[in-house]
Amino acid sequence: MELAATVLRWGFFGVGSALLIAFILTAARQRRAGASFGELAELMEHEWFSAGKVFFTVLTGLAGSWSAAYLGGTRSGLQEAVPILFPLGIVAAFVVCSLTKSDGSNSLRIEALVLLAAPLPIGAVMTGW
């Protein structure tokens, strides 16, 4: 289980870092083209990752971590678990924004799966066991 947790941590850290760098580069290009800060905030919320979705995913992963501790794993403190789960939140919010911006037909199903169903077990593995 430790190997799976390590792979998940580094995988989400790598993808989350790449997403943040890509967003920063896009925001810098948009800013040079004359976009205002409000337009950049709207770009982040709708095209890249919503801050509320990141926060919700981190909380859901934390609930998974604590449920794993309840079932026999080890409970991580907030100071340890949140930095581990933050890249998971960025990746999950990006996936939701990417999948729901084209059509809104399955948006609730996608949001429930990516923001609720997936972070519970992933958070349990990444920080609870």
Side-chain angles (χ1 to χ4, degrees), residues 2 4 9-10 20 23 26 31 34 37 47 59 66-67 70 75 82 91 98-99 112 115 124 128-129:
E2 186 66 31
R9 286 180 197 142
W10 282 106
L20 283 175
F23 171 71
T26 301
R31 184 71 179 139
F37 287 110
E47 299 290 326
L59 287 180
W66 289 346
S67 64
Y70 180 74
R75 181 174 178 180
V82 170
V91 172
S98 297
L99 293 177
L115 297 179
W129 273 303

Side-chain angles (χ1 to χ4, degrees), residues 32-125:
R32 272 196 231 147
S36 68
F37 287 110
E39 292 170 337
L40 293 178
E42 186 175 327
L43 173 74
M44 183 184 80
E45 284 287 321
H46 297 291
E47 299 290 326
W48 286 88
F49 38 82
S50 169
K53 290 178 180 137
V54 172
F55 181 69
F56 184 78
T57 305
V58 169
L59 287 180
T60 306
L62 195 58
S65 172
W66 289 346
S67 64
Y70 180 74
L71 295 174
T74 58
R75 181 174 178 180
S76 300
L78 278 176
Q79 294 85 2
E80 184 180 319
V82 170
I84 292 172
L85 293 171
F86 184 70
L88 166 67
I90 290 174
V91 172
F94 178 75
V95 168
V96 167
C97 287
S98 297
L99 293 177
T100 59
K101 71 180 175 184
S102 59
D103 69 9
S105 62
N106 292 327
S107 64
L108 183 60
R109 186 177 306 143
I110 290 170
E111 286 183 6
L113 178 67
V114 175
L115 297 179
L116 187 61
L120 277 170
I122 292 173
V125 171

